[in-house]
């Protein structure tokens, strides 16, 4: 007789989560299949909301398709890597050549590879809370331990460098910075970045700076590339085509290493070995990188007044301002709002419960704050990708849902008072 034991997955996945595409998203998919129209604000996928990749990038890829049929170098095609070098140089980053640039299948793949090449059992990596949860997941998946530093709502979601430094131990190997930030939209001031760079240098931590939203900043917020501030430790700048260039389906990202590359030779060789094991990144889309990074940057039209992303963000800020329950400090960058629910107005609010009810009852899908590794339960994230009119509809539904939670709480509160009264009769 055959033995039908269940197939158990690897223990290495025990602490690995990616809720943004988890249970709620599956339920939304089910409802869609039943014919309901769901407004999905849970994923930053520009293509889903009608944003197009710049035509010149498409043309560059099509033009070069005949050159894209074979594998390419494990670090990526030279013109793409050189374009990244030139962008870094134009920003004032010195010492980067195409040798220090790795092209991957999106930043996602590179997050995994750069950590896998670095970490041993129980090595610690400082990761922001809230974070883009792939960072925490990839640290845990690669045998490390994610140690979260708080970026609190009451501090504009900025980290406190002294608190970050207090978390450094003998086992700390790296510091992750996400700027402009997903999910909060915080754009870190130069002084904060300087302080984080000094901490990394003092403790010889590898600094991973995820700058995938680098050109998405609003109302004069200044984006400062971390690599311009780091001299005495290894700095990896990660970015790609997915957001600023609205080409997330192309699956192209890069990691450019700068700072103290002397002494990092073995690490970079290990990263090259891992890159070789997966042969190369998707080749056709790499041909779009040079066109993307040079010349006119169409993202500017979207992030200035009248532009789609600008106006959507404005719609969110206005509706949140008018809300009885919601709180949001204006996000300086990226394409999200990490919205807080006033604890005094709704003390019993639970982000996961709320997201589920909002989906079932109002057909709006948001990402509960807990998906982003925060210890509190009164936040949710929306993307600003839908147009302003759709967002106003969404926020009217959210307000209705919150009002019904408040009304339920009142009824429950009244019942408690009645019951308490009954006992004393
Ligand atoms: C901060 C951050 N890093 C990385 C990624 C992954 O991007 P890619 O499409 O290049 O894999 C995302 C996607 O949302 C992100 O928000």
């Amino acid at each position: 007789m055959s033995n039908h034991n269940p197939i158990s997955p690897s223990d290495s996945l025990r602490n690995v989560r990616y809720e943004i595409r988890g249970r709620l998203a599956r339920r939304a998919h089910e409802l869609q299949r039943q014919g309901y129209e769901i407004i999905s604000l849970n994923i930053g996928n520009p293509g889903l909301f009608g944003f197009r990749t710049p035509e010149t990038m498409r043309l560059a890829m099509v033009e070069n398709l005949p050159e894209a049929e074979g594998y390419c170098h494990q670090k990526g095609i030279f013109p793409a890597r050189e374009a990244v070098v030139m962008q870094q140089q134009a920003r004032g980053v010195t010492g980067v050549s195409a040798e220090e640039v790795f092209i991957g299948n999106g930043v996602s793949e590179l997050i995994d590879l750069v950590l896998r090449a670095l970490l041993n059992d129980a090595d610690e990596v400082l990761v922001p809370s809230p974070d883009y949860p792939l960072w925490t997941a990839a640290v845990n998946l690669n045998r490390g331990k994610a140690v979260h530093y708080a970026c609190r709502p009451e501090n504009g979601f900025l980290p406190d460098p002294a608190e970050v430094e207090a978390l450094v131990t003998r086992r700390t190997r790296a510091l992750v910075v996400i700027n402009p930030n997903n999910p909060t939209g915080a754009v870190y001031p130069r002084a904060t970045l300087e302080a984080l760079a000094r901490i990394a240098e003092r403790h010889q931590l590898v600094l991973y700076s995820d700058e995938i939203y680098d050109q998405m900043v609003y109302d004069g917020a200044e984006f400062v590339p971390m690599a311009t501030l780091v001299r005495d430790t290894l700095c990896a700048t990660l970015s790609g085509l997915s957001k600023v260039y609205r080409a997330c389906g192309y699956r192209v990202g890069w990691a450019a290493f700068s700072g103290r590359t002397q002494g990092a030779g073995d690490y970079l060789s290990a990263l090259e070995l891992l890159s070789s094991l997966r042969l190369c990144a998707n080749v056709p889309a790499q041909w779009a990188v040079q066109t993307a990074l040079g010349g006119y940057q169409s993202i500017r039209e979207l992030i200035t007044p009248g532009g789609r992303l600008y106006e959507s963000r404005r719609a969110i800020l206005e509706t949140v301002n008018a809300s009885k329950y919601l709180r949001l400090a204006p996000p300086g960058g990226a394409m999200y709002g990490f919205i807080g629910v006033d604890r005094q107005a709704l003390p019993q609010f639970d982000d996961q419960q709320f997201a589920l009810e909002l989906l079932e009852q109002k057909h709006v899908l948001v990402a509960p704050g807990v998906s982003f590794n925060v210890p509190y339960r009164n936040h949710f994230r929306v993307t600003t990708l839908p147009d302003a009119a759709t967002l106003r509809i969404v926020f009217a539904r959210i307000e209705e849902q919150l009002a019904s939670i408040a009304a339920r709480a009142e009824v429950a509160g009244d019942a408690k008072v009645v019951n308490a009264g009954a006992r004393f009769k």
Side-chain angles (χ1 to χ4, degrees):
M1 215 177 70
S2 65
N3 184 357
H4 294 292
N5 279 339
I7 301 170
S8 40
S10 162
D11 286 346
S12 62
L13 284 155
R14 201 173 289 146
N15 293 321
V16 176
R17 305 261 174 286
Y18 195 73
E19 292 295 332
I20 306 172
R21 285 180 183 245
R23 201 166 54 95
L24 273 168
R26 280 196 294 278
R27 178 66 186 142
H29 189 60
E30 245 170 54
L31 289 169
Q32 267 163 340
R33 281 177 43 191
Q34 288 166 17
Y36 293 106
E37 199 171 313
I38 306 294
I39 308 182
S40 297
L41 304 177
N42 65 322
I43 293 189
N45 180 354
L48 202 63
F49 298 93
F51 287 91
R52 296 300 309 270
T53 302
E55 188 180 58
T56 47
M57 287 170 61
R58 210 158 42 246
L59 294 176
M61 179 165 67
V62 170
E63 175 81 17
N64 286 286
L65 272 180
E67 318 301 323
E69 291 173 2
Y71 296 129
C72 72
H73 190 273
Q74 55 271 16
K75 290 187 184 176
I77 63 170
F78 184 77
R81 287 153 62 202
E82 193 58 18
V84 173
V85 171
M86 286 194 266
Q87 186 191 53
Q88 292 289 87
Q89 280 174 353
R91 290 176 173 182
V93 181
T94 50
V96 182
S97 76
E99 274 307 298
E100 286 83 39
V101 177
F102 292 72
I103 308 279
N105 292 301
V107 170
S108 305
E109 184 190 43
L110 290 163
I111 289 175
D112 183 47
L113 293 181
V114 297
L115 290 168
R116 195 156 3 137
L118 182 77
L119 297 177
N120 287 311
D121 282 339
D123 277 352
E124 294 172 7
V125 177
L126 298 172
V127 177
S129 161
D131 74 335
Y132 173 59
L134 176 59
W135 278 105
T136 295
V139 169
N140 294 338
L141 185 57
N142 288 302
R143 308 189 299 166
K145 183 176 161 212
V147 175
H148 291 109
Y149 62 86
C151 302
R152 295 191 182 82
E154 57 273 23
N155 194 27
F157 294 112
L158 296 178
D160 172 348
E163 269 184 34
V164 174
E165 188 156 29
L167 295 170
V168 174
T169 71
R170 275 185 311 113
R171 300 305 312 249
T172 313
R173 302 289 312 282
L175 169 61
V176 175
V177 173
I178 305 172
N179 177 47
N181 190 270
N182 175 9
T184 67
V187 179
Y188 292 4
R190 182 180 291 273
T192 305
L193 294 168
E194 285 272 12
L196 295 173
R198 297 294 83 78
I199 292 168
E201 288 177 344
R202 265 198 296 281
H203 301 278
Q204 287 300 292
L205 311 178
V206 179
L207 219 165
Y208 295 118
S209 191
D210 183 340
E211 301 180 357
I212 197 164
Y213 300 100
D214 57 1
Q215 292 183 64
M216 277 191 193
V217 284
Y218 307 96
D219 288 339
E222 186 201 10
F223 162 71
V224 179
M226 181 59 107
T228 58
L229 309 176
V230 180
R231 290 170 294 278
D232 200 26
T233 193
L234 186 67
C235 176
T237 301
L238 296 108
S239 192
L241 298 184
S242 290
K243 313 291 176 175
V244 168
Y245 302 98
R246 290 90 71 202
C248 56
Y250 283 23
R251 307 309 301 126
V252 174
W254 50 86
F257 289 88
S258 60
R260 198 168 179 285
T261 46
Q262 317 87 293
D266 287 349
Y267 170 65
L268 294 178
S269 298
L271 183 57
E272 185 165 357
L273 172 63
L274 289 176
S275 305
S276 310
L277 294 179
R278 59 79 156 114
L279 306 182
C280 66
N282 170 34
V283 181
Q286 293 189 49
W287 285 100
V289 173
Q290 192 174 21
T291 308
L293 298 192
Y296 180 67
Q297 299 292 298
S298 57
I299 185 69
R300 288 198 199 128
E301 289 167 26
L302 299 173
I303 58 164
T304 41
R308 184 72 192 259
L309 288 171
Y310 186 91
E311 295 306 326
S312 293
R313 171 178 166 275
R314 193 213 300 263
I316 292 183
L317 288 174
E318 283 171 6
T319 47
V320 167
N321 257 342
S323 164
K324 267 170 79 178
Y325 311 100
L326 301 176
R327 304 288 172 263
L328 176 68
M335 44 188 224
Y336 308 96
F338 197 57
I339 299 170
V341 174
D342 189 334
R343 273 261 172 251
Q344 264 160 3
L346 281 179
Q348 73 292 7
F349 180 88
D350 175 273
D351 57 356
Q352 264 174 326
Q353 176 76 18
F354 167 70
L356 191 63
E357 283 182 14
L358 190 69
L359 175 61
E360 297 287 350
Q361 292 169 26
K362 304 287 180 193
H363 298 161
V364 171
L365 177 59
V366 299
V370 71
S371 323
F372 303 93
N373 296 302
V374 290
Y376 42 86
R377 301 297 299 271
N378 68 326
H379 279 69
F380 62 93
R381 187 194 75 171
V382 296
T383 165
T384 58
L385 288 170
D387 59 35
T390 305
L391 284 168
R392 288 183 200 279
I393 294 169
V394 163
F395 274 84
R397 292 190 199 172
I398 288 176
E399 195 71 7
E400 279 170 20
Q401 191 63 31
L402 293 170
S404 94
I405 296 174
R408 264 190 337 236
E410 233 168 74
V411 172
D414 286 352
K416 255 192 209 154
V417 173
V418 170
N419 285 342
R423 258 186 270 140
F424 291 109
K425 265 195 192 147

